[in-house]
Amino acid sequence: MKLDYKIRDHEGRLAYVKTLDITNATSYELEAISNYILQVAPRERQAYKVMTQKEYDNYYSMKKVDVDISHEEVLQMVKSESNDYCNTDWEITEQDINEESEMGDILKQYNDERKHVIKLMKDKKISIKKYRRLLANINDDMLQTKQSYKGVTERPTQIKWTGDKVDYAVLDYTNTRHIKAIIKGLNLDMDIEPNNVLSLIVEDMRVAIKVLYAENKIDKKDVAIVTGLNSRHTLEELQEIVGIQPSGISKRLTKVCKKVAEYFKNN
């Protein structure tokens, strides 16, 4: 089987390989085809950061137990892969809610429900987790109402750039890596703000940790490790605080993340 090495780009070689009959190809030929494609495959660019010796020591210390997760990584988890434009006709505005029409009347009712849910959360009558779900459902219903009345086939009249889309719904509270990223990357002392989704995520974590501690599923040292890592303590500093070797800290962190994931799975 002959391969055309004059083709230098990845897409071109992929297209060329699709034209070949490899039904009866030997394992050697299949390996050759794989190498042929991979030779010009796009390589992922690595990001480099200049650090001081102290920054590197701290970074390496954290990396040893897989706890080097930044605030940016938490945001990256909820960021879509591509940028997009947003048609602002499909945003709910005050003008929509106050419109003298059947659509306006429906949106007013949804908006009243929305205000009621926000009040319940502020009065601590519902959990942050339930608040987020209820608010998301109401917002979706309002958007679908507008789309239904205005017609999704209408030509967009107002376009704006939104940059990277953020979808916090992709955060999985039953995924231990997501839990670890939240514990390590977000400030657990953040105040609750109804319009700040990150603060609501933080509150979810705080509640889960408090419940687990109250139920004796995690102990004081576990809480100290979570608090210490969240405050950016090095492993050496944490070792002095809790009296546990770095490997033990790693095991305890993994245990806490699993317990938190189980908590959200069951609640």
Side-chain angles (χ1 to χ4, degrees), residues 56-146:
Y56 175 76
D57 290 341
N58 289 344
Y59 167 80
Y60 184 72
S61 174
M62 291 293 194
K63 200 71 174 176
K64 284 191 296 186
V65 292
D66 187 29
V67 293
D68 181 59
I69 302 174
S70 66
H71 181 198
E72 287 71 24
E73 183 167 345
V74 180
L75 293 177
Q76 196 61 39
M77 287 181 177
V78 297
K79 225 179 240 187
S80 64
E81 295 181 357
S82 62
N83 294 327
D84 203 354
Y85 286 89
C86 175
N87 178 5
T88 54
D89 284 346
W90 305 129
E91 292 179 346
I92 303 300
T93 64
E94 288 296 325
Q95 183 178 352
D96 295 327
I97 296 172
N98 295 324
E99 183 176 296
E100 295 295 330
S101 65
E102 186 176 356
M103 181 196 78
D105 291 340
I106 295 173
L107 291 179
K108 285 185 184 73
Q109 294 177 37
Y110 276 125
N111 197 45
D112 289 340
E113 289 182 20
R114 189 175 183 275
K115 291 178 180 177
H116 180 62
V117 169
I118 292 174
K119 186 177 185 304
L120 289 175
M121 186 277 295
K122 288 182 176 180
D123 294 341
K124 297 184 178 181
K125 293 183 178 179
I126 58 174
S127 67
I128 296 295
K129 183 178 179 182
K130 184 173 290 186
Y131 163 78
R132 288 176 57 209
R133 288 180 178 174
L134 289 173
L135 209 60
N137 289 337
I138 292 172
N139 290 339
D140 285 345
D141 287 344
M142 292 177 76
L143 188 61
Q144 289 178 19
T145 298
K146 182 174 179 178

Side-chain angles (χ1 to χ4, degrees), residues 240-257:
E240 291 182 8
I241 294 171
V242 298
I244 299 175
Q245 295 292 327
S247 60
I249 291 173
S250 175
K251 290 178 181 178
R252 289 229 176 197
L253 178 63
T254 299
K255 180 192 78 172
V256 171
C257 291

